[in-house]
Amino acid sequence: MAMHYNQIEYFLAIVDNGGFSRAAEAIFISQSSLSKQIKSLEEELGTELFNRKTPGCRLTESGEIFLKYANAVKQQHIELMEVLDTTTKTMRNIKLGALPIMSVGTYDFTSTIADFQAENLNYNVEYIEKDQRSILALLNNSELDFAIVRTDDPSLDSKYDILNLCMDEFVLVCSRSHRLSGKKLVTLKELSNENFLLLEQKSQIYHICINALTKASVSPKVVYSNTRHSMILEMVAKNLGITIMPKNLATSSKFNTKIIKLNESFYSKVSLIRNKNTKQPKHCLAFWKYMEQQIKG
């Protein structure tokens, strides 16, 4: 059985985070999966790398030796990609994970990416759309170079370099025939007895909405949730309930709904992120720099 590069990264994650459980949480995989990968690595090497009987899962003598080589392998991998990038005209792929908002409304990130590729014909941005937790897991496992996610959680600041792309203000959306449709401003307390249609519980938006309502002493009656905001808005237009969502999503709707400002303003940050303290190859650095320039205008 051959050693895999991701096993080296898992090993380094355990060292950096001081144990299996915190490492598993940081790289968004289960602790059992992480343990199996390290056990497989130890069997390949014929020695234990961690003393599991001590607090903090300290390195064994073999583990200390392997740590030096693991860091060297990771650095060599980065340098290799840089050298290849400067010596060949082969198409270079930039792997981007994103929330399913890339081409929605005023976000329009796909247009920016198209402009980048027009200026850098040897670079190709490949992107996949998934929920936030899945995207972060892929980024932490180095399966992605970048991610576009919501960065309202302060704990993300210590793990990632963050480039804020836009601020999303949350608004109330209801049908034109709803009792609140004539209002220009609504308090969260006024929504106490309403049926809520929200994006799925795995989404960051769901938790932001629930937290804001709870803070206002409102216990929302969530009667429906869906992964797609368009489905939510279609049901709202039919007066099957109300929703709270970022204005950028609400204004992208083709449905005849009413958008109303909330008295208790709250927002969400959409950002481009990358892993901290990771040296990236030239084409990835070029993408980050380009996005920085676009934000600065």
Side-chain angles (χ1 to χ4, degrees), residues 31-186:
Q31 188 171 340
S32 61
S33 296
L34 180 60
S35 296
K36 287 178 183 177
Q37 288 288 338
I38 297 303
K39 189 65 178 176
S40 176
L41 176 61
E42 290 176 325
E43 289 174 356
E44 171 70 15
L45 297 172
T47 184
E48 290 189 350
L49 300 174
F50 295 98
N51 185 346
R52 293 166 174 80
K53 297 178 182 179
T54 60
C57 208
R58 294 181 181 178
L59 290 170
T60 62
E61 184 177 352
S62 296
E64 294 285 358
I65 295 171
F66 185 74
L67 176 60
K68 296 177 183 178
Y69 283 92
N71 282 323
V73 167
K74 184 173 183 179
Q75 183 59 36
Q76 286 176 348
H77 181 266
I78 294 169
E79 292 173 359
L80 172 62
M81 297 307 295
E82 283 187 337
V83 170
L84 291 176
D85 190 63
T86 57
T87 58
T88 181
K89 293 183 179 180
T90 302
M91 185 70 72
R92 290 294 170 202
N93 289 325
I94 297 168
K95 294 170 290 184
L96 171 69
L99 298 171
I101 58 173
M102 288 289 286
S103 56
V104 172
T106 56
Y107 297 107
D108 199 18
F109 299 133
T110 52
S111 177
T112 303
I113 291 172
D115 291 340
F116 169 78
Q117 293 194 161
E119 295 181 20
N120 301 274
L121 297 179
N122 288 336
Y123 299 161
N124 177 51
V125 180
E126 296 180 345
Y127 77 87
I128 59 170
E129 294 185 341
K130 289 182 176 291
D131 63 274
Q132 176 135 338
R133 184 176 177 83
S134 298
I135 292 169
L136 292 178
L138 292 170
L139 181 63
N140 291 337
N141 290 334
S142 299
E143 295 177 54
L144 295 173
D145 300 307
F146 303 100
I148 294 177
V149 294
R150 297 189 181 276
T151 52
D152 308 288
D153 183 352
S155 68
L156 299 180
D157 295 345
S158 62
K159 298 178 182 178
Y160 308 107
D161 292 324
I162 298 176
L163 180 61
N164 189 22
L165 301 178
C166 68
M167 289 290 288
D168 263 345
E169 180 182 8
F170 280 73
V171 293
L172 169 69
V173 188
C174 64
S175 75
R176 293 281 176 176
S177 59
H178 192 274
R179 66 179 182 87
L180 296 172
S181 62
K183 293 201 167 193
K184 293 184 178 180
L185 186 70
V186 173

